[in-house]
Amino acid sequence: MAFTKRGIGKLYLLIIITLGIYGIYWFIKTKRELNENYNENIPTCWLLIIPIANIVWLFRFTEVFVKKVRRTDDVAIWFILFLFVGIITPYIVQSELNKLADNPNLINSGTQQNNSGRVCPNCGRPIPMDANVCPYCGKDFRPK
């Protein structure tokens, strides 16, 4: 299963109109997509409505997002960002998932990219050795 491309503006509009209920639905859908595409086990979203358990759930969601989608190890920084500035979480996560929806072959290419040793000087993400353009930020490496 690939990721579903969702409009960011529409996402926020639906969250506002439904007084946050669509935000929970969005977390459920993105959690399922992350679990299916990366063979992970983010727990049930019922934990979102239980105090303290929702923090544990958010940490696990953040951990999978950062390690599998962003392909970095700075989970703690992202978790603090998502926890204290939660309004930006849907924007950041859905923006990254939209990139994967546009280019599904990036989903499982993380191990190949991480072993290449080449990093984009613009966004800092691992990229294939033969790439002329960064698949994440679009930086062009071809000589001018």
Side-chain angles (χ1 to χ4, degrees):
M1 175 184 182
F3 289 101
T4 303
K5 187 169 183 173
R6 296 175 182 91
I8 307 290
K10 182 179 174 184
L11 171 64
Y12 276 101
L13 183 64
L14 287 170
I15 290 172
I16 291 168
I17 289 172
T18 63
L19 303 176
I21 293 172
Y22 186 79
I24 295 172
Y25 173 77
W26 175 82
F27 270 118
I28 292 168
K29 297 304 279 183
T30 55
K31 176 208 70 120
R32 284 184 185 156
E33 291 175 356
L34 287 169
N35 281 345
E36 290 173 5
N37 284 296
Y38 293 111
N39 198 23
E40 288 292 331
N41 192 20
I42 302 171
T44 180
C45 287
W46 284 107
L47 296 177
L48 284 173
I49 60 174
I50 302 171
I52 307 300
N54 57 5
I55 295 171
V56 174
W57 185 91
L58 182 63
F59 180 81
R60 182 69 179 122
F61 181 87
T62 305
E63 182 179 38
V64 171
F65 170 73
V66 171
K67 289 185 176 181
K68 300 294 183 169
V69 177
R70 298 275 310 166
R71 296 187 177 113
T72 63
D73 289 325
D74 48 356
V75 175
I77 294 169
W78 282 96
F79 173 67
I80 291 168
L81 181 69
F82 285 177
L83 183 63
F84 292 110
V85 195
I87 192 72
I88 65 169
T89 303
Y91 174 80
I92 293 171
V93 172
Q94 193 59 55
S95 296
E96 294 295 321
L97 296 183
N98 284 347
K99 292 176 190 174
L100 294 174
D102 287 338
N103 195 354
N105 58 350
L106 290 177
I107 293 173
N108 293 318
S109 63
T111 55
Q112 297 158 353
Q113 291 177 357
N114 286 339
N115 291 337
S116 74
R118 186 171 178 207
V119 176
C120 174
N122 192 44
C123 69
R125 289 183 166 170
I127 56 173
M129 288 301 287
D130 59 345
N132 290 322
V133 177
C134 176
Y136 301 102
C137 68
K139 170 82 172 159
D140 192 348
F141 303 115
R142 293 177 283 217
K144 297 184 180 184

